[in-house]
Amino acid sequence: FQIMTICPPYEEIIYADLLDAVANSPVVGDDCIVLIEYPVELQCLPHVLERKDGGKLIGIRNRRYGRTVIAMYIANPTGAMEVANSRPEEFVKVK
């Protein structure tokens, strides 16, 4: 896939399990963009998600929209997407 959007039911998901499953999914290849929606009460997702194969999902955006926050990651960035720059300053507790 080139882009994946994930909008789980907030009250029914364990986010640590979800993040591990997404990071290690075989359908998430290099330069795949992953959008994960989560509730503001969670405060923040990690900036970097480590993969078991040594790769990483790097956080490039983390924005709040009311009660909802959307985190955008890129998997194993190759540099082919010039606009996909990491922004660790966005991956802090949202207010």
Side-chain angles (χ1 to χ4, degrees):
F1 292 99
Q2 292 180 335
I3 188 166
M4 179 183 293
T5 60
I6 301 167
C7 180
Y10 292 168
E11 308 297 325
E12 299 175 23
I13 191 79
I14 298 171
Y15 279 86
D17 294 345
L18 173 69
L19 296 175
D20 183 63
V22 170
N24 294 294
S25 172
V27 300
V28 176
D30 292 352
D31 291 325
C32 177
I33 299 292
V34 179
L35 298 155
I36 302 173
E37 183 178 319
Y38 65 97
V40 72
E41 292 83 6
L42 204 58
Q43 297 188 354
C44 194
L45 295 183
H47 172 241
V48 176
L49 303 175
E50 302 285 338
R51 296 177 60 141
K52 292 176 183 167
D53 66 4
K56 296 179 181 179
L57 270 70
I58 308 293
I60 54 177
R61 299 288 184 280
N62 193 52
R63 302 284 170 87
R64 180 180 175 176
Y65 302 94
R67 181 179 177 258
T68 300
V69 183
I70 298 176
M72 180 186 297
Y73 292 90
I74 185 168
N76 299 323
T78 64
M81 300 180 75
E82 295 178 18
V83 296
N85 297 320
S86 175
R87 294 193 182 178
E89 68 275 9
E90 291 188 14
F91 288 81
V92 295
K93 291 182 181 181
V94 283
K95 299 174 184 173

